[in-house]
Amino acid sequence: MNPVVTRIATVGAGLFLCAVPALPAAAGPLHPGPADDRQLPQLTAEATVRTVAAQEEFRMRGTVPTLPAGTEVTLQQRQKKGWVSLPATVRTKNDLSYSMRVKLGMKGPNELRVIACTRPESDAYTMLDTSVCHTSDPVAVTVR
């Protein structure tokens, strides 16, 4: 026998009472976390150089398999605060590849990665942000 929970919702000027069966404690999370079994798409990233002069242009390129063409890919750099998005963003081509021009000014070793976030069709009823972000493995580039 399930206990019943009474919820009160205010809509406009009226009050509505409804009886909702309580969920069993073992129902699990509404939004699965990283321990979820699903395999997320892996982004690939590679730099066209290993060492570069400050402000010298090079390219980061790779693929974004199983994400839709036109997905936005942003370059990130590891800094003291963690991963910081840089002003370098491109959209994937029809073949799910991308290539972006990059210039770095921070001398020394730099760790870079790309990130792509997907947002499924919005659920206007719940107003939940269900974006999922995917990242590549870090790529090392030294600026001399």
Side-chain angles (χ1 to χ4, degrees), residues 51-108:
T51 304
V52 66
Q55 299 304 320
E56 182 181 340
E57 186 176 291
F58 65 97
R59 289 200 170 262
M60 287 287 290
R61 55 183 165 211
T63 59
V64 186
T66 72
L67 292 179
T71 298
E72 194 171 83
V73 177
T74 301
L75 182 67
Q76 291 188 327
Q77 180 182 46
R78 186 185 302 267
Q79 296 179 3
K80 290 179 185 176
K81 299 175 188 175
W83 289 102
V84 176
S85 292
L86 300 178
T89 301
V90 295
R91 293 199 176 273
T92 58
K93 301 174 193 171
N94 286 338
D95 65 356
L96 304 179
S97 69
Y98 68 89
S99 179
M100 67 176 66
R101 295 183 305 208
V102 180
K103 290 183 182 182
L104 297 174
M106 268 179 45
K107 290 190 177 186

Side-chain angles (χ1 to χ4, degrees), residues 31-39:
H31 299 286
D36 190 309
D37 295 64
R38 294 176 297 165
Q39 182 67 27

